[in-house]
Amino acid sequence: GEGAARSVANQIDLPQEFVHSQLLPEDKLHFVGSMLEPSVKRCSSVCTPRPRLMMVGDGVNDAPALAVADVGVAMGEGASLAMEMSDITLMDSN
């Protein structure tokens, strides 16, 4: 839930404005997709690559967003579809 997401963010020094939790399945997919869209801004001489996006989830509802993220991380005790669609599976949820 929200508390767990914020706790993990604090532990890894991720600013709270980058934490998005408690989203509906379609909102997760749209959010991840919007973060992956190329920037509208044009570069004059040097372009910097966009940061990579990681999605972490454990359920069937997370599978579509896990599949489109640059790095999808599934929790090992979650749904098998989430693990199948992710790039990485954490086998110990602790």
XYZ file of all heavy atoms in Angstrom:
683
model
N 0.800 -1.185 0.000
C 0.000 0.000 0.000
C 0.850 1.259 0.000
O 2.067 1.231 -0.190
N 0.196 2.327 0.251
C 0.835 3.645 0.252
C 1.969 3.722 1.269
O 3.050 4.216 0.969
C -0.215 4.729 0.554
C 0.303 6.142 0.506
C 0.442 6.676 -0.902
O -0.204 6.150 -1.814
O 1.216 7.631 -1.077
N 1.734 3.221 2.474
C 2.748 3.270 3.524
C 3.997 2.485 3.166
O 5.120 2.945 3.394
N 3.811 1.305 2.601
C 4.950 0.475 2.204
C 5.754 1.149 1.100
O 6.988 1.156 1.137
C 4.459 -0.899 1.748
N 5.078 1.728 0.125
C 5.761 2.396 -0.979
C 6.587 3.569 -0.469
O 7.740 3.762 -0.870
C 4.750 2.865 -2.015
N 6.021 4.348 0.427
C 6.742 5.508 0.966
C 7.911 5.068 1.851
O 8.968 5.703 1.855
C 5.791 6.420 1.720
C 4.716 6.971 0.777
C 4.266 8.349 1.122
N 3.340 8.843 0.114
C 3.706 9.482 -0.981
N 4.970 9.698 -1.225
N 2.809 9.911 -1.850
N 7.740 3.976 2.574
C 8.810 3.451 3.419
C 9.998 2.992 2.581
O 11.150 3.307 2.893
C 8.286 2.291 4.265
O 9.320 1.695 4.995
N 9.731 2.268 1.505
C 10.806 1.820 0.615
C 11.491 3.026 -0.012
O 12.720 3.082 -0.102
C 10.269 0.859 -0.467
C 11.316 0.607 -1.536
C 9.818 -0.448 0.165
N 10.708 4.009 -0.438
C 11.288 5.221 -1.032
C 12.238 5.903 -0.049
O 13.329 6.341 -0.436
C 10.184 6.175 -1.462
N 11.843 5.990 1.206
C 12.712 6.598 2.220
C 14.009 5.815 2.378
O 15.079 6.399 2.523
C 11.998 6.681 3.568
C 10.971 7.784 3.600
O 11.079 8.776 2.890
N 9.951 7.613 4.429
N 13.921 4.486 2.344
C 15.096 3.647 2.539
C 16.103 3.783 1.398
O 17.304 3.614 1.606
C 14.681 2.187 2.686
C 13.945 1.903 3.976
C 13.454 0.479 4.050
O 14.065 -0.431 3.524
N 12.317 0.296 4.713
N 15.619 4.078 0.191
C 16.536 4.188 -0.953
C 16.731 5.632 -1.402
O 17.251 5.894 -2.475
C 16.071 3.311 -2.141
C 14.706 3.767 -2.676
C 16.028 1.846 -1.756
C 14.298 3.098 -3.974
N 16.302 6.568 -0.559
C 16.453 8.007 -0.831
C 15.775 8.443 -2.124
O 16.278 9.311 -2.844
C 17.932 8.412 -0.857
C 18.583 8.262 0.509
O 17.899 8.521 1.515
O 19.764 7.890 0.562
N 14.628 7.865 -2.412
C 13.832 8.271 -3.567
C 12.879 9.373 -3.119
O 12.120 9.189 -2.164
C 13.036 7.081 -4.108
C 12.157 7.337 -5.330
C 13.042 7.602 -6.555
C 11.262 6.147 -5.586
N 12.906 10.527 -3.768
C 11.996 11.616 -3.383
C 10.532 11.169 -3.459
O 10.141 10.440 -4.372
C 12.290 12.714 -4.405
C 13.678 12.425 -4.887
C 13.798 10.925 -4.868
N 9.738 11.595 -2.506
C 8.345 11.175 -2.411
C 7.521 11.526 -3.645
O 6.567 10.829 -3.973
C 7.694 11.777 -1.152
C 8.288 11.256 0.143
C 8.058 9.769 0.347
O 6.961 9.265 0.155
N 9.104 9.055 0.732
N 7.903 12.582 -4.365
C 7.134 12.951 -5.557
C 7.265 11.918 -6.678
O 6.502 11.931 -7.633
C 7.496 14.349 -6.065
C 8.921 14.514 -6.528
C 9.852 15.080 -5.460
O 9.526 15.035 -4.270
O 10.923 15.574 -5.850
N 8.228 11.008 -6.556
C 8.395 9.953 -7.553
C 7.681 8.667 -7.167
O 7.775 7.668 -7.876
C 9.874 9.662 -7.804
C 10.612 10.815 -8.427
C 11.665 11.411 -7.769
C 10.233 11.318 -9.665
C 12.342 12.479 -8.328
C 10.904 12.381 -10.244
C 11.962 12.964 -9.569
N 6.990 8.667 -6.041
C 6.280 7.475 -5.568
C 4.821 7.545 -6.021
O 4.126 8.518 -5.755
C 6.342 7.372 -4.024
C 5.550 6.171 -3.533
C 7.781 7.307 -3.557
N 4.391 6.518 -6.723
C 3.001 6.430 -7.182
C 2.493 5.049 -6.791
O 2.966 4.040 -7.314
C 2.917 6.633 -8.696
C 3.421 7.964 -9.132
N 2.647 9.092 -9.119
C 4.645 8.353 -9.534
C 3.373 10.118 -9.524
N 4.595 9.695 -9.772
N 1.547 5.008 -5.879
C 1.011 3.728 -5.423
C -0.508 3.814 -5.387
O -1.089 4.888 -5.598
C 1.568 3.376 -4.041
O 1.142 4.326 -3.090
N -1.118 2.667 -5.130
C -2.584 2.586 -5.040
C -3.276 2.993 -6.353
O -4.357 3.559 -6.341
C -3.117 3.443 -3.896
C -2.518 3.129 -2.533
C -2.877 1.752 -2.023
O -2.237 0.770 -2.377
N -3.904 1.687 -1.224
N -2.634 2.723 -7.490
C -3.228 3.046 -8.784
C -4.043 1.865 -9.305
O -3.711 0.709 -9.038
C -2.135 3.374 -9.808
C -1.231 4.563 -9.515
C -0.145 4.672 -10.580
C -2.028 5.839 -9.433
N -5.072 2.152 -10.060
C -5.843 1.105 -10.731
C -5.000 0.512 -11.860
O -4.080 1.178 -12.361
C -7.134 1.697 -11.310
C -8.136 2.242 -10.285
C -9.264 2.972 -10.990
C -8.664 1.121 -9.417
N -5.285 -0.726 -12.270
C -4.471 -1.373 -13.313
C -4.286 -0.529 -14.567
O -3.170 -0.387 -15.070
C -5.232 -2.660 -13.624
C -5.997 -2.950 -12.388
C -6.336 -1.607 -11.791
N -5.367 0.052 -15.077
C -5.251 0.855 -16.296
C -4.467 2.142 -16.047
O -3.761 2.628 -16.918
C -6.624 1.162 -16.902
C -7.566 1.939 -16.010
C -8.432 1.076 -15.100
O -8.176 -0.125 -14.950
O -9.389 1.630 -14.529
N -4.554 2.671 -14.821
C -3.785 3.871 -14.480
C -2.285 3.564 -14.408
O -1.454 4.385 -14.784
C -4.263 4.465 -13.156
C -5.688 4.993 -13.243
O -6.132 5.341 -14.356
O -6.355 5.050 -12.192
N -1.945 2.369 -13.919
C -0.537 1.950 -13.873
C 0.033 1.896 -15.285
O 1.115 2.422 -15.551
C -0.402 0.567 -13.231
C -0.767 0.523 -11.778
C -0.755 -0.909 -11.272
C -1.343 -0.985 -9.890
N -1.348 -2.337 -9.348
N -0.700 1.257 -16.184
C -0.239 1.121 -17.560
C -0.113 2.479 -18.237
O 0.892 2.766 -18.887
C -1.172 0.210 -18.352
C -0.795 -0.038 -19.804
C 0.591 -0.660 -19.903
C -1.829 -0.922 -20.463
N -1.106 3.342 -18.070
C -1.046 4.674 -18.675
C 0.091 5.510 -18.081
O 0.781 6.224 -18.805
C -2.373 5.411 -18.515
C -3.446 4.868 -19.391
N -4.553 4.238 -18.894
C -3.565 4.812 -20.734
C -5.310 3.823 -19.893
N -4.733 4.159 -21.020
N 0.287 5.410 -16.780
C 1.359 6.177 -16.146
C 2.719 5.738 -16.666
O 3.539 6.561 -17.074
C 1.302 6.047 -14.622
C 2.420 6.765 -13.945
C 2.392 8.146 -13.818
C 3.516 6.079 -13.461
C 3.437 8.825 -13.218
C 4.565 6.744 -12.861
C 4.527 8.118 -12.733
N 2.965 4.429 -16.659
C 4.254 3.922 -17.144
C 4.444 4.295 -18.613
O 5.503 4.764 -19.013
C 4.369 2.393 -16.927
C 5.579 1.826 -17.638
C 4.431 2.079 -15.441
N 3.402 4.112 -19.426
C 3.487 4.470 -20.841
C 3.795 5.935 -21.056
O 4.607 6.290 -21.914
N 3.175 6.804 -20.250
C 3.417 8.246 -20.404
C 4.845 8.614 -20.018
O 5.425 9.540 -20.581
C 2.422 9.052 -19.574
O 2.708 8.943 -18.194
N 5.415 7.897 -19.065
C 6.791 8.174 -18.656
C 7.802 7.714 -19.705
O 8.917 8.210 -19.751
C 7.100 7.488 -17.322
C 6.279 8.008 -16.161
S 6.547 9.752 -15.808
C 8.231 9.724 -15.235
N 7.394 6.770 -20.544
C 8.301 6.237 -21.558
C 8.233 6.985 -22.878
O 9.101 6.813 -23.725
C 7.988 4.754 -21.808
C 8.234 3.826 -20.627
C 7.735 2.431 -20.940
C 9.702 3.804 -20.258
N 7.216 7.826 -23.067
C 7.076 8.568 -24.321
C 8.247 9.530 -24.493
O 8.699 10.142 -23.523
C 5.764 9.352 -24.329
C 4.553 8.464 -24.435
C 3.250 9.252 -24.361
O 3.285 10.488 -24.230
O 2.203 8.608 -24.418
N 8.730 9.666 -25.727
C 9.831 10.605 -25.946
C 9.398 12.035 -25.648
O 8.239 12.389 -25.817
C 10.177 10.434 -27.423
C 9.060 9.676 -28.030
C 8.298 9.007 -26.925
N 10.346 12.803 -25.197
C 10.089 14.202 -24.884
C 9.771 14.969 -26.158
O 10.318 14.691 -27.216
C 11.310 14.796 -24.195
O 11.124 16.171 -24.006
N 8.896 15.952 -26.044
C 8.529 16.778 -27.184
C 9.660 17.749 -27.525
O 9.811 18.168 -28.659
C 7.227 17.555 -26.874
C 6.853 18.479 -28.010
C 6.101 16.586 -26.573
N 10.471 18.084 -26.532
C 11.564 19.034 -26.759
C 12.575 18.471 -27.758
O 12.906 17.313 -27.742
C 12.290 19.345 -25.449
C 11.481 20.170 -24.497
C 12.350 20.819 -23.464
C 12.687 19.892 -22.337
N 13.448 20.530 -21.281
N 13.040 19.325 -28.625
C 14.081 18.957 -29.582
C 15.440 19.357 -29.011
O 15.562 20.372 -28.329
C 13.872 19.679 -30.914
C 12.566 19.335 -31.569
C 12.754 18.139 -32.441
N 11.493 17.836 -33.097
C 11.185 16.638 -33.482
N 11.998 15.648 -33.290
N 10.048 16.406 -34.080
N 16.448 18.601 -29.327
C 17.802 18.913 -28.877
C 18.508 19.693 -29.981
O 18.335 19.408 -31.148
C 18.586 17.638 -28.603
S 17.771 16.519 -27.475
N 19.342 20.635 -29.574
C 20.078 21.384 -30.587
C 21.325 20.615 -31.023
O 21.486 20.299 -32.188
C 20.455 22.770 -30.058
O 21.204 22.639 -28.869
N 22.205 20.291 -30.095
C 23.418 19.588 -30.505
C 23.640 18.295 -29.727
O 24.059 17.299 -30.296
C 24.632 20.501 -30.359
O 24.739 20.908 -29.013
N 23.353 18.308 -28.429
C 23.591 17.127 -27.606
C 22.304 16.760 -26.875
O 21.698 17.590 -26.222
C 24.716 17.401 -26.571
C 24.923 16.191 -25.678
C 26.003 17.779 -27.269
N 21.914 15.518 -27.022
C 20.727 15.027 -26.324
C 21.159 14.120 -25.181
O 22.091 13.336 -25.335
C 19.825 14.226 -27.258
S 19.107 15.211 -28.558
N 20.495 14.234 -24.076
C 20.774 13.313 -22.980
C 19.674 12.267 -22.959
O 18.504 12.576 -23.181
C 20.810 14.049 -21.625
O 19.563 14.710 -21.435
C 21.948 15.046 -21.579
N 20.031 11.020 -22.726
C 19.013 9.973 -22.693
C 18.094 10.158 -21.494
O 18.498 10.710 -20.468
C 19.831 8.685 -22.573
C 21.150 9.108 -22.032
C 21.365 10.518 -22.460
N 16.869 9.726 -21.643
C 15.925 9.839 -20.533
C 16.284 8.814 -19.465
O 16.876 7.783 -19.765
C 14.499 9.637 -21.010
C 14.203 8.230 -21.475
C 12.698 7.989 -21.629
N 12.448 6.710 -22.225
C 12.578 5.545 -21.602
N 12.958 5.508 -20.359
N 12.344 4.402 -22.215
N 15.933 9.090 -18.224
C 16.184 8.108 -17.162
C 15.388 6.832 -17.421
O 14.350 6.863 -18.087
C 15.663 8.802 -15.897
C 15.557 10.239 -16.242
C 15.336 10.307 -17.723
N 15.871 5.723 -16.924
C 15.183 4.442 -17.076
C 14.062 4.340 -16.052
O 14.159 4.865 -14.956
C 16.159 3.277 -16.895
C 17.242 3.267 -17.931
C 16.636 2.930 -19.287
N 17.647 3.079 -20.322
C 17.380 3.561 -21.506
N 16.170 3.956 -21.816
N 18.318 3.661 -22.403
N 12.989 3.671 -16.437
C 11.827 3.545 -15.574
C 11.693 2.111 -15.076
O 11.728 1.172 -15.867
C 10.561 3.934 -16.345
C 9.329 3.990 -15.461
C 8.633 5.307 -15.630
C 8.415 2.849 -15.767
N 11.554 1.958 -13.762
C 11.380 0.644 -13.160
C 9.999 0.570 -12.524
O 9.578 1.492 -11.832
C 12.436 0.385 -12.084
C 12.306 -0.976 -11.438
S 13.678 -1.391 -10.338
C 13.426 -0.262 -8.996
N 9.304 -0.530 -12.792
C 7.990 -0.794 -12.209
C 8.128 -2.024 -11.325
O 8.730 -3.014 -11.725
C 6.977 -1.047 -13.335
C 5.679 -1.676 -12.931
S 4.642 -0.555 -11.979
C 3.292 -1.639 -11.570
N 7.588 -1.945 -10.108
C 7.614 -3.069 -9.178
C 6.179 -3.460 -8.880
O 5.345 -2.611 -8.586
C 8.336 -2.693 -7.861
C 8.352 -3.875 -6.906
C 9.741 -2.201 -8.143
N 5.879 -4.755 -8.989
C 4.531 -5.221 -8.704
C 4.504 -6.692 -8.366
O 5.489 -7.401 -8.521
N 3.330 -7.142 -7.907
C 3.229 -8.541 -7.509
C 1.955 -9.225 -7.980
O 1.747 -10.397 -7.707
C 3.336 -8.675 -5.992
C 2.169 -8.017 -5.267
O 1.362 -7.329 -5.915
O 2.079 -8.192 -4.044
N 1.096 -8.522 -8.680
C -0.183 -9.121 -9.035
C -0.468 -9.129 -10.521
O 0.260 -8.534 -11.313
N -1.545 -9.806 -10.878
C -1.982 -9.874 -12.268
C -2.238 -8.466 -12.795
O -1.929 -8.157 -13.945
C -3.251 -10.751 -12.391
C -3.837 -10.674 -13.783
C -2.934 -12.189 -12.011
N -2.752 -7.587 -11.943
C -3.044 -6.216 -12.356
C -1.793 -5.419 -12.692
O -1.864 -4.396 -13.356
C -3.821 -5.478 -11.264
C -5.192 -6.059 -11.055
O -5.770 -6.652 -11.961
N -5.715 -5.915 -9.857
N -0.646 -5.873 -12.228
C 0.613 -5.178 -12.489
C 1.277 -5.640 -13.782
O 2.164 -4.962 -14.300
C 1.597 -5.410 -11.333
C 1.078 -4.872 -10.020
O 0.520 -3.760 -10.025
O 1.227 -5.563 -8.997
N 0.889 -6.793 -14.306
C 1.574 -7.418 -15.440
C 1.716 -6.512 -16.664
O 2.809 -6.428 -17.226
C 0.909 -8.739 -15.807
N 0.673 -5.817 -17.119
C 0.853 -4.963 -18.307
C 1.893 -3.859 -18.099
O 2.721 -3.616 -18.975
C -0.544 -4.366 -18.539
C -1.481 -5.343 -17.909
C -0.737 -5.866 -16.711
N 1.875 -3.213 -16.941
C 2.844 -2.150 -16.668
C 4.249 -2.727 -16.501
O 5.226 -2.117 -16.935
C 2.433 -1.362 -15.426
N 4.374 -3.912 -15.908
C 5.673 -4.564 -15.774
C 6.264 -4.861 -17.151
O 7.466 -4.738 -17.359
C 5.551 -5.867 -14.984
C 5.289 -5.741 -13.482
C 4.903 -7.094 -12.899
C 6.494 -5.165 -12.769
N 5.402 -5.232 -18.078
C 5.865 -5.602 -19.422
C 6.383 -4.412 -20.214
O 7.319 -4.555 -20.995
C 4.738 -6.286 -20.189
N 5.814 -3.226 -20.032
C 6.228 -2.077 -20.844
C 7.322 -1.232 -20.195
O 7.974 -0.447 -20.873
C 5.033 -1.165 -21.228
C 4.019 -1.924 -22.051
C 4.400 -0.532 -20.020
N 7.549 -1.385 -18.895
C 8.594 -0.619 -18.216
C 9.970 -1.029 -18.737
O 10.139 -2.131 -19.259
C 8.513 -0.857 -16.706
N 10.947 -0.133 -18.602
C 12.316 -0.485 -18.983
C 12.787 -1.689 -18.176
O 13.435 -2.588 -18.699
C 13.261 0.693 -18.742
C 12.993 1.851 -19.689
O 12.765 1.599 -20.891
O 13.009 3.000 -19.226
N 12.482 -1.676 -16.888
C 12.812 -2.792 -16.000
C 11.573 -3.115 -15.176
O 11.075 -2.263 -14.447
C 13.988 -2.445 -15.051
C 14.281 -3.611 -14.115
C 15.220 -2.046 -15.834
N 11.074 -4.331 -15.313
C 9.940 -4.792 -14.528
C 10.431 -5.722 -13.438
O 11.173 -6.656 -13.701
N 10.018 -5.444 -12.196
C 10.429 -6.262 -11.061
C 9.195 -6.842 -10.399
O 8.312 -6.101 -9.966
C 11.235 -5.433 -10.023
C 11.650 -6.298 -8.845
C 12.442 -4.781 -10.663
N 9.128 -8.171 -10.333
C 7.998 -8.849 -9.699
C 8.434 -9.438 -8.362
O 9.582 -9.853 -8.201
C 7.474 -9.963 -10.600
N 7.500 -9.476 -7.439
C 7.741 -10.101 -6.146
C 7.471 -11.591 -6.289
O 6.443 -11.987 -6.838
C 6.834 -9.499 -5.075
C 6.897 -7.975 -5.015
S 8.547 -7.317 -4.851
C 8.794 -7.537 -3.130
N 8.373 -12.424 -5.791
C 8.304 -13.865 -5.977
C 7.075 -14.551 -5.418
O 6.684 -15.601 -5.891
N 6.451 -13.984 -4.418
C 5.262 -14.600 -3.841
C 3.989 -14.084 -4.498
O 2.894 -14.387 -4.061
C 5.226 -14.364 -2.334
C 6.356 -15.081 -1.623
C 6.348 -14.862 -0.120
O 5.385 -14.275 0.393
O 7.310 -15.274 0.520
N 4.126 -13.316 -5.560
C 2.970 -12.751 -6.253
C 2.445 -13.672 -7.335
O 2.767 -14.855 -7.396
N 1.656 -13.101 -8.212
C 1.021 -13.857 -9.294
C 2.060 -14.303 -10.318
O 3.003 -13.580 -10.632
C -0.039 -12.993 -9.965
N 1.863 -15.502 -10.832
C 2.816 -16.039 -11.814
C 2.850 -15.198 -13.086
O 3.896 -15.070 -13.713
C 2.494 -17.495 -12.137
O 1.199 -17.608 -12.683
N 1.728 -14.584 -13.474
C 1.716 -13.727 -14.663
C 2.632 -12.523 -14.461
O 3.364 -12.134 -15.374
C 0.301 -13.270 -15.004
C 0.173 -12.387 -16.245
C 0.674 -13.127 -17.492
C -1.262 -11.940 -16.432
N 2.619 -11.937 -13.285
C 3.504 -10.802 -13.004
C 4.959 -11.228 -13.128
O 5.783 -10.524 -13.717
C 3.227 -10.246 -11.607
N 5.281 -12.411 -12.603
C 6.662 -12.901 -12.688
C 7.048 -13.183 -14.137
O 8.175 -12.935 -14.551
C 6.838 -14.146 -11.831
C 6.789 -13.843 -10.347
S 7.140 -15.272 -9.318
C 5.544 -16.067 -9.302
N 6.100 -13.673 -14.921
C 6.362 -13.986 -16.326
C 6.620 -12.724 -17.151
O 7.437 -12.721 -18.066
C 5.145 -14.721 -16.892
C 5.466 -15.727 -17.954
C 4.231 -16.535 -18.315
O 3.748 -17.300 -17.468
O 3.759 -16.354 -19.452
N 5.922 -11.650 -16.825
C 6.020 -10.414 -17.602
C 7.172 -9.523 -17.154
O 7.503 -8.558 -17.825
C 4.710 -9.617 -17.495
C 3.486 -10.363 -17.998
S 3.651 -10.981 -19.678
C 3.604 -9.477 -20.604
N 7.784 -9.826 -16.020
C 8.846 -8.970 -15.493
C 10.209 -9.380 -16.030
O 10.386 -10.465 -16.568
C 8.844 -9.026 -13.967
O 9.232 -10.313 -13.538
N 11.173 -8.483 -15.863
C 12.560 -8.763 -16.218
C 13.289 -9.445 -15.062
O 14.198 -10.231 -15.255
C 13.293 -7.460 -16.562
C 12.638 -6.758 -17.744
O 12.601 -7.345 -18.824
O 12.155 -5.627 -17.552
N 12.874 -9.080 -13.845
C 13.517 -9.577 -12.620
C 12.430 -10.058 -11.677
O 11.389 -9.427 -11.558
C 14.313 -8.447 -11.941
C 15.405 -7.912 -12.855
C 14.889 -8.895 -10.595
C 16.025 -6.613 -12.387
N 12.683 -11.169 -11.004
C 11.772 -11.652 -9.956
C 12.543 -11.764 -8.658
O 13.580 -12.424 -8.598
C 11.170 -13.020 -10.321
O 10.427 -12.887 -11.539
C 10.250 -13.522 -9.233
N 12.046 -11.084 -7.623
C 12.638 -11.195 -6.295
C 11.973 -12.374 -5.597
O 10.772 -12.356 -5.360
C 12.422 -9.892 -5.503
C 12.971 -8.626 -6.158
C 12.599 -7.411 -5.323
C 14.476 -8.723 -6.344
N 12.728 -13.377 -5.279
C 12.156 -14.607 -4.728
C 11.802 -14.489 -3.259
O 10.955 -15.200 -2.771
C 13.106 -15.781 -4.942
C 13.347 -16.075 -6.420
S 11.823 -16.207 -7.404
C 11.127 -17.694 -6.759
N 12.414 -13.573 -2.524
C 12.116 -13.385 -1.109
C 11.450 -12.029 -0.956
O 12.076 -11.003 -1.214
C 13.407 -13.458 -0.289
C 13.146 -13.392 1.208
O 11.992 -13.179 1.624
O 14.119 -13.548 1.968
N 10.203 -12.000 -0.555
C 9.471 -10.744 -0.444
C 9.852 -9.931 0.786
O 9.321 -8.862 1.015
C 7.970 -11.017 -0.430
O 7.574 -11.515 -1.685
N 10.748 -10.443 1.607
C 11.202 -9.682 2.777
C 12.266 -8.746 2.326
O 13.018 -8.160 2.843
C 11.692 -10.630 3.874
C 10.537 -11.430 4.420
O 9.443 -10.913 4.565
N 10.781 -12.708 4.696
